[in-house]
Amino acid sequence: MTAPVPLPQGPYTPRTTPLALAPGGAPLTSRTVFSAAHVVADPYADISPDDPAAVDWESTLAFRRHLWSHGLGVAEAMDTAQRGMGLDWAGAAELIRRSAAEAKAMGGRIACGVGTDQLPATGEPTLAEVRSAYEEQLALAEENAVQPILMASRALARAAGGPEDYLSTYAHLLRQASEPVILHWLGPMFDPALDGYWGSGDLDEATDTFLKVIAEHPDKVDGIKISLLDAAREIDVRRRLPGGVRCYTGDDFNYPELIAGDEQGFSHALLGIFDPLGPLAAHAVRVLDTGDVAGFRALLDPTVELSRHLFQPPTRFYKTGVVFLAWLAGHQDHFTMAGGLQSARSLPHLAKAYELADGLGLFPDPELAAHRMRALLAVHGGTR
């Protein structure tokens, strides 16, 4: 019998068998599904938290191969990959190049974040500088034949004087894009520097501006990713989109119901929580492909408690839990993050994440996960 793990909230008896979710399977057909993927840091690099990230490229790319092997697309160089929280533009550019080559070799679907993070983190950039930064990153994405995701920009949030500056900036970029892009609206719960994005702190006004950008350039917008953790608002926006423009949910609190949809439509997915849930998420969508909505919900609804735990405030630190679970699952050999972000969540938080993930059967080797959980507890002073 598996020995209990003495977690801070009390002993927990690990499960002994994981879910049997092997790679392969039919392509996903009813929904387009991306997992935003994390990066694996190099734990032996002699750097400080303020230095550029040292990336373990082989482990980072191996994790992307894992996601592709289950039929998921990879959303690369997004906030899950610690853009602006440990990974600078130079590192992100290298990540895009390497992942694009890997996707081509494997036949995997990939889309990549395009932003302005090569600009200084402080100061008052001009709109021209913001456009130029976006253009540089957009060019890199197109050179590497990956679908661009126009990410929300901290620099644009500082430079814009109101909705018109957002409208003109995005119109300029969409005119230049050679292929349809995905627009990304990341809420301030994920990045406080994006408060008031689209030119207003009033979400109704911001939504109108966002939709105006799309309405004026529907041929250049493949879809939108909304990360506001507000299911009602996402459904409202989804119903107001021009025909042919997809909604990719980024709602890590309400994704099962949003992907399942209703009589008026549904959301596709581009989610950070699908990093740890990858095989289970792919399996659930294959069930949905058969028309079995109830079966899909039965698989994904139980995962929401884990997701809400990982994404609890301060939400931007969800990356710590994602990397922690990747370590427990055996996808990497250590729990070290770029910028020292492994310290961003408490031991009780991580212990609860372990318990919830193990209860779902997410660890391919439950004994390994339990061993690593015990080791982490020991590093923190033993068990009690």
Side-chain angles (χ1 to χ4, degrees), residues 2 44 133 191 201 208 216 295 348 366:
T2 303
Y44 298 108
D191 187 343
D208 289 342
E216 292 179 353

Side-chain angles (χ1 to χ4, degrees), residues 131 134-135 138 150 168-177:
R131 288 195 297 270
Y134 264 127
E135 287 167 351
L138 183 60
L150 289 186
S168 63
T169 298
Y170 277 91
H172 176 84
L173 296 170
L174 290 173
R175 284 194 296 268
Q176 293 196 34

Side-chain angles (χ1 to χ4, degrees), residues 147 180-184 221-225 244-248:
Q147 183 176 24
V181 308
I182 298 173
L183 295 180
H184 186 192
V221 180
D222 163 69
I224 62 168
K225 168 177 159 58
V245 176
R246 310 181 203 198
C247 179
Y248 294 91

Side-chain angles (χ1 to χ4, degrees), residues 314-356:
T315 300
R316 63 189 181 278
F317 294 128
Y318 76 89
K319 296 108 172 161
T320 301
V322 164
V323 174
F324 172 66
L325 294 182
W327 172 57
L328 294 183
H331 294 299
Q332 56 194 78
D333 294 331
H334 59 85
F335 178 38
T336 303
M337 296 178 67
L341 206 64
Q342 67 273 10
S343 65
R345 291 294 200 189
S346 70
L347 185 61
H349 176 92
L350 297 176
K352 182 65 173 178
Y354 159 71
E355 182 178 336
L356 291 171

Side-chain angles (χ1 to χ4, degrees), residues 5-368:
V5 177
L7 303 180
Q9 58 264 33
Y12 171 75
T13 301
R15 63 184 292 158
T16 57
T17 57
L19 292 175
L21 298 173
L28 309 184
T29 57
S30 65
R31 305 290 188 272
T32 300
V33 182
F34 291 98
S35 166
H38 73 280
V39 293
V40 183
D42 178 355
Y44 298 108
D46 186 12
I47 58 174
S48 76
D50 294 329
D51 290 332
V55 178
D56 177 345
W57 291 112
E58 176 51 38
S59 296
T60 293
L61 294 175
F63 189 76
R64 280 128 183 87
R65 292 192 291 269
H66 155 72
L67 294 172
W68 284 318
S69 75
H70 285 275
L72 299 170
V74 169
E76 188 55 277
M78 302 291 290
D79 61 294
T80 304
Q82 294 184 240
R83 288 288 290 270
M85 290 185 69
L87 189 71
D88 63 9
W89 165 235
E94 183 65 14
L95 179 61
I96 290 170
R97 294 187 191 99
R98 289 176 181 253
S99 290
E102 201 76 15
K104 183 177 180 180
M106 281 200 67
R109 183 163 185 166
I110 186 170
C112 291
V114 167
T116 63
D117 47 332
Q118 68 270 55
L119 294 174
T122 59
E124 299 298 328
T126 66
L127 290 175
E129 289 171 333
V130 171
R131 288 195 297 270
S132 178
Y134 264 127
E135 287 167 351
E136 177 188 352
Q137 297 199 17
L138 183 60
L140 178 73
E142 295 187 342
E143 286 167 11
N144 286 275
V146 298
Q147 183 176 24
I149 303 170
L150 289 186
M151 301 171 68
S153 161
R154 294 175 180 175
L156 180 55
R158 297 199 308 273
E164 290 304 319
D165 288 338
Y166 287 90
L167 291 170
S168 63
T169 298
Y170 277 91
H172 176 84
L173 296 170
L174 290 173
R175 284 194 296 268
Q176 293 196 34
S178 60
E179 299 292 339
V181 308
I182 298 173
L183 295 180
H184 186 192
W185 184 359
L186 192 69
M189 67 289 294
F190 288 94
D191 187 343
L194 299 176
D195 193 23
Y197 209 74
W198 302 108
S200 177
D202 183 297
L203 282 178
D204 291 335
E205 294 178 5
T207 297
D208 289 342
T209 302
F210 182 53
L211 288 169
K212 187 173 182 181
V213 169
I214 300 161
E216 292 179 353
H217 307 276
D219 59 321
K220 288 297 186 73
V221 180
D222 163 69
I224 62 168
K225 168 177 159 58
I226 304 178
S227 298
L228 298 177
L229 305 182
D230 183 339
R233 184 166 298 276
E234 178 174 322
I235 292 169
D236 174 65
V237 171
R238 188 173 75 195
R239 292 174 178 172
R240 296 165 64 186
L241 290 174
V245 176
R246 310 181 203 198
C247 179
Y248 294 91
T249 186
D251 188 332
D252 300 279
F253 283 6
N254 304 290
Y255 51 94
E257 65 187 82
L258 291 166
I259 297 170
D262 55 31
E263 66 283 353
Q264 297 186 51
F266 56 82
S267 295
H268 300 271
L270 199 166
L271 288 161
I273 191 56
F274 281 4
D275 180 301
L277 292 184
L280 178 56
H283 174 58
V285 174
R286 289 190 178 94
V287 171
L288 185 61
D289 289 345
T290 69
D292 184 359
V293 176
F296 167 80
R297 293 294 300 268
L299 287 165
L300 272 198
D301 282 359
T303 69
V304 171
E305 184 180 4
L306 170 64
S307 190
R308 286 177 175 256
H309 177 72
L310 296 181
F311 286 79
Q312 69 182 230
T315 300
R316 63 189 181 278
F317 294 128
Y318 76 89
K319 296 108 172 161
T320 301
V322 164
V323 174
F324 172 66
L325 294 182
W327 172 57
L328 294 183
H331 294 299
Q332 56 194 78
D333 294 331
H334 59 85
F335 178 38
T336 303
M337 296 178 67
L341 206 64
Q342 67 273 10
S343 65
R345 291 294 200 189
S346 70
L347 185 61
H349 176 92
L350 297 176
K352 182 65 173 178
Y354 159 71
E355 182 178 336
L356 291 171
D358 184 65
L360 291 167
L362 297 185
F363 301 130
D365 184 344
E367 186 175 342
L368 173 66

